[in-house]
Amino acid sequence: MILFTIGCEDDNHDHDYEYDEEHTDADGFVLEDESGTEVYREFEGAIVVNNLTLNVGDTLELSVHFLDHDGEEIEHEEEDHGEDEDELRITGNDESIAIVEAEEHEEGEEEHHEMAIHIIGVSAGSTEFKLELMHGEHADYTSTNNVPITVTSSN
């Protein structure tokens, strides 16, 4: 009787943060304004910071940073990911109150790897949105909570 063992070990990979080199294994995310101030943080399903407010007619430009299991930012790899490059998808917001858009990267913007969203205040009220980090046709990360937005009148 001969016994064959096939191992699944690969000593060249660090599996602490990434379950696959091309997929992001995130446990949360942060939204920061242009000055670097956190306006929203979700980590392991809990809302830690929630201060997403703007006036009617204002536009917030927010950078999006995904967090590992220690709550630290996951650094974006500088290499080309081919056709399945990660992108943001926004769903569920009431566009009569606020328009939320993922920033589109222009062709040739190879040095700009930061993910960002824009929020435009349309009318006074509250709405919320779901944030997803898409990799091809599936989501590597989906926000656990709907992200609340408050739009105030600019009186």
Side-chain angles (χ1 to χ4, degrees):
M1 183 172 184
I2 301 174
L3 179 64
F4 290 99
T5 304
I6 300 174
C8 294
E9 288 186 43
D10 186 347
D11 294 331
N12 295 327
H13 289 92
D14 178 8
H15 293 287
D16 286 343
Y17 302 113
E18 303 291 327
Y19 64 90
D20 183 324
E21 287 180 16
E22 294 182 8
H23 297 271
T24 302
D25 187 15
D27 286 321
F29 69 98
V30 172
L31 300 177
E32 291 181 350
D33 66 17
E34 293 174 298
S35 68
T37 302
E38 282 188 17
V39 295
Y40 186 86
R41 177 184 283 254
E42 177 181 295
F43 182 63
E44 294 181 335
I47 298 173
V48 180
V49 175
N50 184 12
N51 189 24
L52 198 47
T53 303
L54 71 158
N55 290 325
V56 172
D58 286 353
T59 299
L60 278 179
E61 297 196 23
L62 304 172
S63 59
V64 181
H65 306 278
F66 289 92
L67 305 173
D68 64 21
H69 71 275
D70 291 324
E72 300 295 323
E73 181 179 346
I74 297 172
E75 295 297 323
H76 184 78
E77 295 294 323
E78 297 292 326
E79 59 197 46
D80 184 16
H81 290 279
E83 293 177 19
D84 288 337
E85 187 169 336
D86 294 339
E87 64 181 33
L88 296 174
R89 179 166 64 183
I90 309 294
T91 58
N93 64 296
D94 181 346
E95 291 191 350
S96 69
I97 295 172
I99 298 170
V100 184
E101 307 172 312
E103 182 176 280
E104 297 283 331
H105 292 289
E106 300 294 324
E107 196 170 316
E109 280 190 278
E110 295 175 18
E111 295 179 18
H112 180 73
H113 292 287
E114 187 173 87
M115 294 187 168
I117 63 173
H118 305 285
I119 302 175
I120 303 165
V122 177
S123 64
S126 297
T127 186
E128 52 192 26
F129 66 93
K130 185 72 77 175
L131 179 76
E132 294 177 296
L133 176 62
M134 300 301 294
H135 184 86
E137 295 296 316
H138 70 276
D140 276 358
Y141 178 81
T142 301
S143 59
T144 306
N145 303 287
N146 289 327
V147 180
I149 304 168
T150 302
V151 180
T152 58
S153 70
S154 55
N155 289 346

